[in-house]
Amino acid sequence: MTTINENYLKLKSGYLFPEIARRVKTFVEVNPDTNIIKLGIGDVTEPLPEACRTAMIKAVEDMGERATFRGYGPEQGYGWLREKIAANDFQSRNCDIDASEIFVSDGAKCDTGNILDIFDKNNKIAVTDPVYPVYVDTSVMAGYTGKANDKGEYDGLVYLSISAENNFIADIPSQKVDLIYLCFPNNPTGATATKDYLKTWVEYAKAKGSIIFFDAAYEAFITDDSLPHSIYEIEGAKDCAIEFRSFSKNAGFTGTRCALTVVPKTLTAKVSDGSEIELWKLWSRHQCTKFNGVSYIVQRGAEAVYSDTGKAQVKKLVSFYLENAQIICNQLKKAGFKVYGGVNSPYIWVKTPYNLSSWDFFDQLLQTAHVVGTPGSGFGAAGEGYFRISAFNSRENIEEAMKRIKTQFSV
């Protein structure tokens, strides 16, 4: 009989967001007329920028003419888009990233998991706790871990605890780890990293021969000029880091799908015979073998992000969500909640009231205020007692949700 990949059986429970959807569905079935406001999953609500829509419409028209029709595109992404990304996102910040080092994809979520395919299973992986669960679950699925303990921690992973005591910034590990997932601005806590802090990680990675997986999906929300948007703003990072970015949150591409991964050609890793190989070559082979590229229409839409009009519209969109975040922070603080994040980030990390567990607070919030958030424990053991609220929603819903929470909870 056919056998399965038993690493999937190690997964402690269902993926966090489907479990949230299940509980909401159950509640709505019993209370069908309830108006639920969802501030849980980080999905955007505002329309695509007009510049992107216009470019996509033109691209659809291109597909209707033989002379401009496109079939399979380059797996790495069209050159005209990669050139715009390199110039605007990296070279403008003095990051020495070439267009050839950029791989356009259909999502940072996919890439942060799929990147493990090019590394050996004996590598030791470090994650923060709490953490974006994709990093952990894909490590389990790919066979990098043992089983989970009662707290949900997997044998084989190194957990770097982050909390209010350390400003949700992980300490450099005392032991050697090979692959390190870092996310800034952080999902779920909203914490940010200074250049000096990232410098310590780059120095550690270079000294230990480690690779940093730097998830910069929320970099567009950084408004503090002193904070880095890319790890490549740190000298030496090209020799030890892979960066992931997305058009989902800055330009509203969650339903359109477009992202990118940067693999510098100077980045190498060991082969079993002691020699070194360029990781760029391995990731290029991976993408050419397992991926047929993002559609021409979507890439034209992403290219429009870098037009003068597109930049202004994206900036306005990001500012709108940041204003939502400030409303959430201010209103929750007035209600007596302990609040973190929400500055340079679309996520607000809240201490649960009355010593409630994360899931108990989720259920109470759903049942009494009819508002959905994300239980902190779903991001790891250290997330217990916290709750994530997303600023991605309409202004009307944000204000109504805060009104409901303040009515139901007074800490």
Side-chain angles (χ1 to χ4, degrees):
M1 181 179 290
T2 303
T3 57
I4 65 165
N5 176 359
E6 294 193 15
N7 290 306
Y8 280 68
L9 303 181
K10 299 175 186 174
L11 294 171
K12 190 67 175 176
S13 61
Y15 183 55
L16 173 61
F17 299 110
E19 173 60 18
I20 290 173
R22 185 194 68 77
R23 294 194 184 205
V24 173
K25 181 175 181 291
T26 299
F27 179 79
V28 171
E29 286 173 349
V30 179
N31 306 275
D33 297 326
T34 304
N35 175 24
I36 304 293
I37 298 177
K38 297 180 180 180
L39 304 178
I41 189 170
D43 194 3
V44 296
T45 58
E46 304 309 294
L48 285 171
E50 183 180 1
C52 299
R53 301 197 307 269
T54 300
M56 289 177 177
I57 291 169
K58 173 60 169 60
V60 171
E61 293 172 347
D62 289 347
M63 299 296 276
E65 300 291 336
R66 185 181 297 276
T68 52
F69 173 80
R70 301 292 199 285
Y72 289 125
E75 293 89 349
Q76 193 173 347
Y78 285 99
W80 35 262
L81 175 56
R82 290 186 286 125
E83 290 286 350
K84 293 284 178 60
I85 293 169
N88 288 274
D89 289 343
F90 297 102
Q91 293 164 9
S92 66
R93 303 191 68 85
N94 297 317
C95 302
D96 184 23
I97 298 298
D98 186 76
S100 65
E101 297 173 307
I102 294 168
F103 294 80
V104 177
S105 76
D106 60 352
K109 176 180 179 179
C110 306
D111 287 356
T112 56
N114 290 334
I115 196 70
L116 293 175
D117 287 357
I118 67 173
F119 293 95
D120 182 77
K121 301 297 186 296
N122 291 320
N123 285 302
K124 182 73 71 174
I125 297 176
V127 297
T128 60
D129 182 11
V131 66
Y132 180 44
V134 169
Y135 309 155
V136 173
D137 287 0
T138 53
S139 297
V140 175
M141 293 173 179
Y144 282 81
T145 75
K147 294 182 179 180
N149 61 23
D150 292 339
K151 295 170 61 179
E153 298 170 334
Y154 289 92
D155 181 44
L157 290 183
V158 174
Y159 291 87
L160 308 175
S161 180
I162 56 176
S163 65
E165 284 66 36
N166 60 11
N167 295 315
F168 300 102
I169 299 294
D171 294 330
I172 301 294
S174 57
Q175 62 182 294
K176 180 185 183 300
V177 292
D178 304 297
L179 304 173
I180 306 151
Y181 278 103
L182 295 179
C183 175
F184 290 107
N186 184 254
N187 179 13
T189 69
T192 54
T194 65
K195 289 184 179 180
D196 285 343
Y197 175 72
L198 291 184
K199 182 181 177 182
T200 63
W201 273 110
V202 169
E203 291 173 345
Y204 170 89
K206 293 186 70 174
K208 302 295 186 181
S210 309
I211 302 293
I212 297 170
F213 297 152
F214 191 75
D215 188 344
Y218 301 96
E219 61 79 28
F221 294 87
I222 296 173
T223 57
D224 184 338
D225 291 337
S226 70
L227 297 176
H229 288 245
S230 168
I231 197 165
Y232 301 122
E233 294 179 48
I234 311 304
E235 185 178 355
K238 283 189 65 175
D239 298 324
C240 64
I242 293 172
E243 183 164 306
F244 307 90
R245 290 200 179 197
S246 174
F247 291 93
S248 286
K249 307 302 165 61
N250 64 332
F253 274 51
T254 55
T256 312
R257 311 310 301 146
C258 196
L260 62 111
T261 293
V262 181
V263 184
K265 291 183 176 178
T266 54
L267 188 58
T268 63
K270 291 282 188 182
V271 183
S272 58
D273 64 7
S275 61
E276 295 185 7
I277 189 169
E278 295 176 16
L279 293 177
W280 182 94
K281 293 180 179 178
L282 299 184
W283 187 242
S284 180
R285 179 60 186 268
H286 178 281
Q287 293 301 84
C288 290
T289 301
K290 290 191 172 186
F291 187 57
N292 268 337
V294 176
S295 79
Y296 168 74
I297 296 164
V298 170
Q299 289 192 63
R300 281 299 188 192
E303 180 191 28
V305 167
Y306 301 105
S307 66
D308 289 342
T309 302
K311 288 178 181 179
Q313 291 170 357
V314 167
K315 183 178 180 179
K316 183 178 180 180
L317 193 58
V318 169
S319 295
F320 173 81
Y321 289 126
L322 283 173
E323 289 168 6
N324 279 353
Q326 282 305 296
I327 292 171
I328 294 170
C329 287
N330 292 339
Q331 293 304 309
L332 290 181
K333 287 177 181 178
K334 286 181 180 180
F337 286 86
K338 290 184 178 180
V339 177
Y340 308 91
V343 179
N344 300 300
S345 169
Y347 292 126
I348 297 85
W349 190 240
V350 184
K351 188 76 178 70
T352 58
Y354 319 130
N355 292 318
L356 289 171
S357 73
S358 296
W359 278 108
D360 283 345
F361 183 59
F362 172 90
D363 289 333
Q364 284 201 23
L365 198 63
L366 173 62
Q367 293 162 13
T368 62
H370 307 149
V371 173
V372 175
T374 310
S377 59
F379 298 100
E384 181 54 77
Y386 289 93
F387 201 76
R388 193 192 76 175
I389 296 179
S390 166
F392 294 117
N393 215 306
S394 68
R395 184 61 48 79
E396 179 183 4
N397 279 347
I398 291 293
E399 291 177 343
E400 174 62 21
M402 293 306 103
K403 179 181 177 181
R404 294 182 190 178
I405 292 174
K406 287 174 66 180
T407 299
Q408 295 297 329
F409 297 91
S410 181
V411 183

